[in-house]
Amino acid sequence: MKILFVAAEASPIAKVGGMGDVVGALPKVLKKLGHDVRIMLPYYGFLSEKLMIPSESVWQANAMGHNFDIFETKLPDTDIPLYLLGHVSFSGFNIYGGHDEHWRFTFFANAAAELAWNYWTPDIVHCHDWHTAMIPVWMQDSPDIKTIFTIHNLAYQGPSRHALQHMTWCPDHMQGDNAMAAALYSATFVNAVSPSYAMEIKTPEYGERLDPVLRHVEDKLKGILNGIDVDKYNPKTDSFIEQNFTAKSLDKRLVNKLKLQEDSGLNVDQNTFLVGMISRLVEQKGVDLLLQVMDRFLGHTSAQLLILGTGDHFYESKLAEFAARYYGRVSVQIVHNEAISRRIYSGIDAFLMPSRFEPCGISQLLAMRYGAIPIVRETGGLIDTVTFFDPNNECGTGYCFRQYDALDFYTCMIRAYEGYRFQDKWRKLQARAMNQDFSWNKSAAEYIEMYQDAIDGII
Ligand SMILES: Nc1ncnc2c1ncn2[C@@H]1O[C@H](COP(=O)(O)OP(=O)(O)O[C@H]2O[C@H](CO)[C@@H](O)[C@H](O)[C@H]2O)[C@@H](O)[C@H]1O
């Protein structure tokens, strides 16, 4: 099969969050299985520092009245062709934001459609989030090209229909009030990144006002769980971390904890329960719940908290205040840094993810892979990936709470804090979490089946 991935992010060259992980990992697995997979991204201003990109473009065309260039290179350490859309609107150093964001990505989607029609024609265009949402609308006029629209973040829906009509060409058959809604109607298949979230988004509570549309298209709506790149994220071989280890040599992991405490300005103490969070600091991730319980948790325990994230200024500054107040016990790093994130996963005891909603979540998978026990709210993909730890029957992989409520979260954190005192059981819990299979193998097979059904017209 010929598959074109179109997205705003792809790890390791352009990543803000989990969508980058998916677009950087899934194509590699599909390629190994024999498919011709290619990726298209905008040519961001920062990419020339991260990649070898030929100065000559391979193709030029026009979309929305603007000329653009296509540069071709490879996704690092792979054989996967990477097409970069060269246009001045993407020459900045940020992936998202800016006054022209809607225009910029609508232009990107338009250019991707031109590429699929006139330069490299795939069987499937696999579109990710609102930035690519108009592609399925336009591809309805090309019955030989099928489209998959993957929802990573339903909250951001792109430009309204009215704005789209001013910016670009909206065919008469276009349905929906904005770009995301239009993609849900037009794509051959739509998928959410976990089975539980695929169910939840059909309800008003989680549907971000698109639940009526999602119920309308439910026959073609699937839930396919994200995986992680288990070669890249492997505590046995990861060169970013201080000490490599496996589920069988968990003793060695302590070196990472002590080094992490030292590097983060925390009191160095192997017995202290060290809890971490690595996240975009936005409402989705439950940062407000954390802010509500921090004083109580730090007051009633001897635990330490380590937070790595960027996002809303309000959350950043509130967390920084805590770091100043609890010097030596709370460390907050407001940066986006892959190397630091891996050192944190490999050294913390437990990982916080009290999300308000969670389409799948990659972070809790990485945490488990590196032996950090997840403390999660039972929502979306967190339900599908973290199982309730039962110390009596020695099963389960993490600590879970259901209600989006500070007291429930606090109680769950205390349960983990108490659980940590029983080191034998904790070690077994860590080994169980590390031994879960979070590779892409199973989910890649599900994607291939969906692509094939799209081609065969089976819904
Ligand atoms: N400051 C920082 N420095 C370094 N790394 C950082 C970082 N902040 C976050 N990260 C990394 O970014 C990724 C976050 O991925 P998640 O899937 O957990 O959430 P996100 O909401 O971004 O993704 C959305 O898309 C994905 C993919 O489908 C869904 O899993 C998820 O539920 C959905 O919300 C992880 O790899 C994490 O380590």
Short mmCIF file of all heavy atoms in Angstrom, two decimals, residues 15-19 21-22 152 193 226 233 278-280 284-285 308-310 335-338 341 345 353 358-363 366, ligand 1:
data_model
loop_
_atom_site.label_atom_id
_atom_site.label_comp_id
_atom_site.label_asym_id
_atom_site.label_seq_id
_atom_site.Cartn_x
_atom_site.Cartn_y
_atom_site.Cartn_z
N LYS A 15 8.49 18.07 17.34
CA LYS A 15 7.55 17.47 18.30
C LYS A 15 7.19 18.45 19.40
O LYS A 15 8.07 19.06 19.99
CB LYS A 15 8.18 16.22 18.92
CG LYS A 15 7.42 15.68 20.14
CD LYS A 15 8.00 14.41 20.69
CE LYS A 15 7.60 14.22 22.14
NZ LYS A 15 8.14 13.03 22.76
N VAL A 16 5.89 18.60 19.63
CA VAL A 16 5.42 19.37 20.78
C VAL A 16 4.82 18.39 21.79
O VAL A 16 5.05 18.48 22.98
CB VAL A 16 4.37 20.42 20.36
CG1 VAL A 16 3.78 21.11 21.57
CG2 VAL A 16 5.01 21.44 19.42
N GLY A 17 4.06 17.43 21.29
CA GLY A 17 3.41 16.47 22.19
C GLY A 17 3.28 15.11 21.54
O GLY A 17 4.06 14.75 20.64
N GLY A 18 2.25 14.38 21.97
CA GLY A 18 2.11 12.98 21.59
C GLY A 18 1.86 12.73 20.11
O GLY A 18 2.22 11.67 19.59
N MET A 19 1.24 13.70 19.41
CA MET A 19 1.02 13.48 17.98
C MET A 19 2.36 13.30 17.26
O MET A 19 2.49 12.48 16.35
CB MET A 19 0.25 14.65 17.37
CG MET A 19 0.01 14.45 15.90
SD MET A 19 -1.07 15.68 15.19
CE MET A 19 -0.05 17.12 15.20
N ASP A 21 5.01 11.96 18.51
CA ASP A 21 5.46 10.59 18.78
C ASP A 21 4.82 9.61 17.81
O ASP A 21 5.48 8.72 17.26
CB ASP A 21 5.08 10.17 20.21
CG ASP A 21 5.95 10.83 21.27
OD1 ASP A 21 7.18 10.74 21.15
OD2 ASP A 21 5.41 11.44 22.21
N VAL A 22 3.52 9.77 17.60
CA VAL A 22 2.80 8.83 16.73
C VAL A 22 3.30 8.92 15.29
O VAL A 22 3.62 7.91 14.66
CB VAL A 22 1.27 9.10 16.79
CG1 VAL A 22 0.52 8.26 15.77
CG2 VAL A 22 0.74 8.83 18.20
N HIS A 152 -6.27 13.37 17.47
CA HIS A 152 -5.38 13.38 18.64
C HIS A 152 -5.90 14.38 19.67
O HIS A 152 -5.71 14.21 20.86
CB HIS A 152 -3.95 13.77 18.24
CG HIS A 152 -3.34 12.84 17.24
ND1 HIS A 152 -2.64 11.71 17.61
CD2 HIS A 152 -3.32 12.86 15.89
CE1 HIS A 152 -2.22 11.09 16.50
NE2 HIS A 152 -2.62 11.77 15.46
N VAL A 193 -7.54 7.69 19.29
CA VAL A 193 -6.32 6.95 19.58
C VAL A 193 -6.43 5.99 20.77
O VAL A 193 -5.42 5.51 21.26
CB VAL A 193 -5.11 7.91 19.71
CG1 VAL A 193 -4.68 8.42 18.34
CG2 VAL A 193 -5.42 9.08 20.63
N ASN A 226 -2.66 3.98 20.79
CA ASN A 226 -1.29 4.34 20.44
C ASN A 226 -0.29 3.35 21.03
O ASN A 226 -0.55 2.75 22.08
CB ASN A 226 -0.93 5.71 21.02
CG ASN A 226 -1.53 6.86 20.24
OD1 ASN A 226 -1.86 6.70 19.07
ND2 ASN A 226 -1.68 7.99 20.88
N TYR A 233 12.80 4.23 22.96
CA TYR A 233 12.58 4.38 24.40
C TYR A 233 12.83 3.04 25.08
O TYR A 233 11.90 2.29 25.35
CB TYR A 233 11.15 4.88 24.68
CG TYR A 233 10.92 6.27 24.17
CD1 TYR A 233 10.14 6.50 23.03
CD2 TYR A 233 11.48 7.37 24.80
CE1 TYR A 233 9.94 7.79 22.55
CE2 TYR A 233 11.28 8.66 24.33
CZ TYR A 233 10.51 8.85 23.20
OH TYR A 233 10.31 10.13 22.73
N ILE A 278 5.45 15.07 33.42
CA ILE A 278 6.01 15.66 32.19
C ILE A 278 4.83 15.89 31.29
O ILE A 278 4.12 14.94 30.93
CB ILE A 278 7.00 14.67 31.52
CG1 ILE A 278 8.16 14.36 32.46
CG2 ILE A 278 7.49 15.23 30.19
CD1 ILE A 278 9.05 13.24 31.98
N SER A 279 4.57 17.16 30.98
CA SER A 279 3.30 17.42 30.31
C SER A 279 3.26 18.78 29.66
O SER A 279 3.95 19.70 30.08
CB SER A 279 2.20 17.36 31.38
OG SER A 279 0.95 17.55 30.82
N ARG A 280 2.40 18.89 28.64
CA ARG A 280 2.00 20.22 28.23
C ARG A 280 1.17 20.76 29.39
O ARG A 280 0.32 20.05 29.95
CB ARG A 280 1.14 20.13 26.96
CG ARG A 280 1.91 19.62 25.75
CD ARG A 280 1.09 19.63 24.47
NE ARG A 280 -0.06 18.74 24.54
CZ ARG A 280 -1.33 19.12 24.59
NH1 ARG A 280 -1.64 20.40 24.58
NH2 ARG A 280 -2.32 18.24 24.64
N GLN A 284 -6.34 20.40 29.86
CA GLN A 284 -6.58 18.97 29.62
C GLN A 284 -5.86 18.07 30.62
O GLN A 284 -6.34 17.01 30.99
CB GLN A 284 -6.10 18.62 28.19
CG GLN A 284 -6.13 17.13 27.88
CD GLN A 284 -5.35 16.77 26.62
OE1 GLN A 284 -5.00 17.63 25.83
NE2 GLN A 284 -5.10 15.49 26.43
N LYS A 285 -4.67 18.48 31.04
CA LYS A 285 -3.79 17.58 31.77
C LYS A 285 -4.04 17.57 33.28
O LYS A 285 -3.31 16.93 34.04
CB LYS A 285 -2.33 17.93 31.48
CG LYS A 285 -1.97 17.80 30.00
CD LYS A 285 -2.09 16.36 29.51
CE LYS A 285 -1.79 16.24 28.04
NZ LYS A 285 -1.86 14.86 27.55
N LEU A 308 8.19 18.81 34.65
CA LEU A 308 8.79 19.33 33.41
C LEU A 308 7.64 19.64 32.46
O LEU A 308 6.84 18.76 32.15
CB LEU A 308 9.69 18.25 32.78
CG LEU A 308 10.26 18.57 31.40
CD1 LEU A 308 11.32 19.67 31.48
CD2 LEU A 308 10.88 17.32 30.76
N GLY A 309 7.56 20.89 32.03
CA GLY A 309 6.46 21.20 31.10
C GLY A 309 6.48 22.63 30.65
O GLY A 309 7.16 23.48 31.22
N THR A 310 5.71 22.87 29.60
CA THR A 310 5.49 24.24 29.12
C THR A 310 4.03 24.34 28.75
O THR A 310 3.38 23.33 28.48
CB THR A 310 6.32 24.56 27.86
OG1 THR A 310 6.01 23.58 26.87
CG2 THR A 310 7.81 24.53 28.12
N VAL A 335 10.64 24.04 30.46
CA VAL A 335 11.30 23.89 29.15
C VAL A 335 10.73 22.67 28.45
O VAL A 335 10.08 21.84 29.08
CB VAL A 335 12.84 23.67 29.26
CG1 VAL A 335 13.56 24.92 29.63
CG2 VAL A 335 13.17 22.52 30.20
N HIS A 336 10.99 22.59 27.15
CA HIS A 336 10.66 21.36 26.44
C HIS A 336 11.99 20.71 26.09
O HIS A 336 12.77 21.29 25.32
CB HIS A 336 9.86 21.67 25.17
CG HIS A 336 9.26 20.43 24.56
ND1 HIS A 336 9.99 19.54 23.82
CD2 HIS A 336 8.01 19.93 24.62
CE1 HIS A 336 9.20 18.55 23.44
NE2 HIS A 336 7.99 18.76 23.92
N ASN A 337 12.29 19.58 26.68
CA ASN A 337 13.60 18.97 26.47
C ASN A 337 13.50 17.45 26.55
O ASN A 337 13.20 16.88 27.60
CB ASN A 337 14.57 19.53 27.53
CG ASN A 337 15.98 19.08 27.28
OD1 ASN A 337 16.25 17.89 27.17
ND2 ASN A 337 16.89 20.03 27.18
N GLU A 338 13.76 16.83 25.42
CA GLU A 338 13.63 15.37 25.31
C GLU A 338 14.60 14.64 26.26
O GLU A 338 14.22 13.70 26.94
CB GLU A 338 13.89 14.99 23.85
CG GLU A 338 14.01 13.52 23.55
CD GLU A 338 12.67 12.83 23.40
OE1 GLU A 338 11.65 13.51 23.19
OE2 GLU A 338 12.65 11.59 23.51
N SER A 341 13.49 14.82 29.76
CA SER A 341 12.29 14.00 29.98
C SER A 341 12.68 12.54 30.22
O SER A 341 12.15 11.89 31.12
CB SER A 341 11.31 14.14 28.82
OG SER A 341 11.74 13.41 27.69
N TYR A 345 11.81 10.22 33.48
CA TYR A 345 11.10 8.93 33.45
C TYR A 345 11.93 7.84 34.11
O TYR A 345 11.40 6.94 34.77
CB TYR A 345 10.80 8.50 32.01
CG TYR A 345 9.71 9.28 31.30
CD1 TYR A 345 9.96 9.92 30.08
CD2 TYR A 345 8.42 9.37 31.82
CE1 TYR A 345 8.96 10.61 29.40
CE2 TYR A 345 7.43 10.07 31.16
CZ TYR A 345 7.69 10.69 29.95
OH TYR A 345 6.70 11.38 29.29
N MET A 353 -0.65 11.78 36.13
CA MET A 353 -1.41 12.11 34.92
C MET A 353 -2.90 12.19 35.29
O MET A 353 -3.70 11.30 34.94
CB MET A 353 -1.16 11.05 33.85
CG MET A 353 -1.28 11.60 32.46
SD MET A 353 -0.21 10.73 31.34
CE MET A 353 -0.99 11.17 29.79
N GLU A 358 -8.28 12.35 28.13
CA GLU A 358 -7.02 11.87 27.56
C GLU A 358 -7.29 10.95 26.38
O GLU A 358 -7.69 9.80 26.56
CB GLU A 358 -6.20 11.15 28.63
CG GLU A 358 -4.73 11.00 28.28
CD GLU A 358 -4.07 12.35 28.00
OE1 GLU A 358 -3.83 13.13 28.94
OE2 GLU A 358 -3.82 12.61 26.81
N PRO A 359 -7.09 11.44 25.16
CA PRO A 359 -7.35 10.61 23.97
C PRO A 359 -6.63 9.26 24.02
O PRO A 359 -7.20 8.23 23.73
CB PRO A 359 -6.85 11.48 22.83
CG PRO A 359 -7.07 12.88 23.32
CD PRO A 359 -6.76 12.82 24.80
N CYS A 360 -5.35 9.25 24.39
CA CYS A 360 -4.65 7.99 24.68
C CYS A 360 -3.65 8.26 25.78
O CYS A 360 -3.76 7.78 26.89
CB CYS A 360 -3.93 7.43 23.46
SG CYS A 360 -3.01 5.95 23.89
N GLY A 361 -2.67 9.11 25.47
CA GLY A 361 -1.58 9.34 26.42
C GLY A 361 -0.40 8.47 26.03
O GLY A 361 -0.53 7.24 25.94
N ILE A 362 0.72 9.14 25.75
CA ILE A 362 1.97 8.44 25.47
C ILE A 362 2.82 8.48 26.75
O ILE A 362 3.55 7.54 27.07
CB ILE A 362 2.74 9.18 24.34
CG1 ILE A 362 1.93 9.20 23.04
CG2 ILE A 362 4.14 8.60 24.14
CD1 ILE A 362 2.05 8.00 22.16
N SER A 363 2.68 9.57 27.50
CA SER A 363 3.56 9.78 28.66
C SER A 363 3.46 8.66 29.69
O SER A 363 4.49 8.23 30.22
CB SER A 363 3.21 11.10 29.34
OG SER A 363 3.00 12.10 28.39
N LEU A 366 5.43 5.75 28.43
CA LEU A 366 6.88 5.94 28.60
C LEU A 366 7.26 5.76 30.07
O LEU A 366 8.28 5.14 30.39
CB LEU A 366 7.29 7.34 28.12
CG LEU A 366 7.08 7.62 26.63
CD1 LEU A 366 7.44 9.06 26.29
CD2 LEU A 366 7.92 6.67 25.79
N1 LIG B 1 8.35 19.68 28.49
C1 LIG B 1 8.53 18.55 27.83
N2 LIG B 1 9.77 18.16 27.47
C2 LIG B 1 9.97 17.00 26.79
N3 LIG B 1 8.97 16.18 26.41
C3 LIG B 1 7.72 16.53 26.73
C4 LIG B 1 7.42 17.71 27.46
N4 LIG B 1 6.09 17.79 27.63
C5 LIG B 1 5.56 16.69 27.06
N5 LIG B 1 6.54 15.93 26.51
C6 LIG B 1 6.39 14.68 25.76
O1 LIG B 1 5.32 14.87 24.86
C7 LIG B 1 4.58 13.64 24.77
C8 LIG B 1 3.18 13.85 25.33
O2 LIG B 1 2.36 12.91 24.77
P1 LIG B 1 0.92 12.54 25.32
O3 LIG B 1 0.36 11.58 24.36
O4 LIG B 1 1.02 12.06 26.70
O5 LIG B 1 0.09 13.91 25.36
P2 LIG B 1 -0.38 15.04 24.30
O6 LIG B 1 -1.53 15.68 24.97
O7 LIG B 1 0.75 15.89 23.92
O8 LIG B 1 -0.86 14.23 23.00
C9 LIG B 1 -2.13 14.14 22.33
O9 LIG B 1 -1.90 13.23 21.24
C10 LIG B 1 -1.41 11.98 21.68
C11 LIG B 1 -1.08 11.16 20.46
O10 LIG B 1 -2.20 10.62 19.88
C12 LIG B 1 -2.37 11.28 22.62
O11 LIG B 1 -1.74 10.14 23.15
C13 LIG B 1 -2.77 12.22 23.76
O12 LIG B 1 -3.77 11.62 24.57
C14 LIG B 1 -3.24 13.54 23.18
O13 LIG B 1 -3.64 14.43 24.20
C15 LIG B 1 5.36 12.61 25.54
O14 LIG B 1 6.31 12.01 24.69
C16 LIG B 1 6.08 13.46 26.60
O15 LIG B 1 7.24 12.85 27.10
#
